Amino acid sequence: MVTLVLPRLLDVSGTSRRSASVVERNVAALKAVYWLLLLSGFVEPVLYLFSIGVGVGQLIDGLTLPDGRVVEYAAFVAPAMLAASAMTGALAETTFNFFGKMKYLKLYDGIIATPVRPFEIALGELGWAMVRGSAYSAAFLAVMVAMELTSVGRALLAFPAAVLVGFAFGAAGMALATFMRSWQDFDLMGSAQFTLFLFSGTFVPAEDYPALLRWVVEVTPLYRSVHLIREICVGGSGWLWLLDLLYLLALTGLGLAVASRRMVGLLYK
């Protein structure tokens, strides 16, 4: 089966075209209520920023970065909210929606009757998820610049980093969705997602955790995402952003590989 899949993966032009057709299908299927869901995904992290970053920040003098610089609490929290927003937007598309299309709507059963293959479906769905995630990221960065929590230049650099975060979580979420048996299984995923949100250096520096917990935190994907975007927006960690970049690229590749392989087994059984 691997020998059958590899030639298609090497057909970059054809793969891109067929993946784009999946994105076009999703755009054509948009309904008005979907835009309300998009708006809710943007509003939530902004509310967290104002309530915790700004509200609680009034009680905190500032936080010291690894390089010794002190930044205001809102500037520390804002990049984490951006990373969490990219995660949430990507996971919403590539878990719940992807699972529903595959298991209940049987949408992909019809698609594979065309030249589009499972890997191209996964790539197209991930691309569509990033349309949503990129919209969240761009809007949130605009809020950060307006609040003077980062500069325009840093925001422009943070945008592709946020898109990469979305790709990584989108690919991982899609792979995870192929193992789900029913909607109830998503309760576990929601709990894990909320735990990541709370304990990924989001509201306090990872250095403040006990040594063992800090090690666990630092190997999670959201922590690496927060660390990367925080380094771009406020700086303070030197070259360690390269580790974050490699981690997220590896997670993206692994997620796509697992998702496409699992889809082959599920759709061609």
Side-chain angles (χ1 to χ4, degrees):
M1 182 173 294
V2 174
T3 57
L4 294 175
V5 174
L6 282 178
R8 291 189 176 273
L9 296 184
L10 296 175
D11 179 15
V12 177
S13 176
T15 295
S16 300
R17 185 174 62 255
R18 289 186 287 270
S19 298
S21 69
V22 177
V23 178
E24 291 172 3
R25 180 264 162 203
N26 286 327
V27 172
L30 278 180
K31 297 185 182 296
V33 68
Y34 190 83
W35 297 105
L36 294 177
L37 295 176
L38 285 178
L39 181 62
S40 67
F42 162 69
V43 169
E44 182 178 352
V46 172
L47 291 178
Y48 270 111
L49 176 60
F50 278 100
S51 62
I52 298 179
V54 178
V56 176
Q58 299 298 315
L59 306 175
I60 301 174
D61 292 334
L63 287 174
T64 304
L65 300 178
D67 64 355
R69 289 185 299 117
V70 178
V71 298
E72 60 178 295
Y73 189 63
F76 177 84
V77 169
M81 294 296 101
L82 174 58
S85 177
M87 173 188 73
T88 301
L91 286 179
E93 281 293 338
T94 59
T95 53
F96 297 101
N97 293 348
F98 178 79
F99 178 77
K101 292 174 186 176
M102 181 170 61
K103 188 173 180 66
Y104 293 101
L105 298 180
K106 303 296 182 182
L107 177 65
Y108 304 137
D109 293 61
I111 291 179
I112 60 172
T114 72
V116 181
R117 299 294 92 189
F119 174 78
E120 294 156 352
I121 294 173
L123 195 59
E125 289 291 356
L126 183 56
W128 170 239
M130 290 323 304
V131 173
R132 176 175 178 173
S134 297
Y136 289 167
S137 299
F140 193 85
L141 281 167
V143 172
M144 287 177 62
V145 172
M147 295 176 63
E148 299 183 348
L149 299 178
T150 192
S151 66
V152 174
R154 286 182 179 271
L156 292 175
L157 291 174
F159 179 72
V163 171
L164 175 59
V165 170
F167 268 115
F169 276 100
M174 195 181 304
L176 183 63
T178 62
F179 290 94
M180 296 297 184
R181 299 160 299 176
S182 67
W183 294 113
Q184 284 70 33
D185 290 342
F186 284 96
D187 292 339
L188 295 174
M189 191 201 77
S191 298
Q193 183 179 340
F194 190 64
T195 301
L196 284 177
F197 176 65
L198 292 179
F199 298 100
S200 293
T202 313
F203 302 109
V204 296
E207 292 78 9
D208 290 350
Y209 294 126
L212 179 60
L213 180 57
R214 176 183 173 182
W215 183 87
V216 173
V217 165
E218 289 185 350
V219 297
T220 62
L222 185 56
Y223 173 81
R224 303 267 48 116
S225 303
V226 170
H227 189 272
L228 174 62
I229 295 179
R230 186 173 283 149
E231 170 65 22
I232 295 173
C233 291
V234 299
S237 298
W239 58 270
L240 287 178
W241 64 271
L242 287 172
L243 176 62
D244 305 326
L245 189 63
L246 292 174
Y247 182 107
L248 294 173
L249 287 172
L251 182 60
T252 302
L254 178 63
L256 273 175
V258 172
S260 58
R261 184 180 180 86
R262 287 279 301 165
M263 287 177 70
V264 168
L266 292 170
L267 295 176
Y268 288 105
K269 63 181 179 180

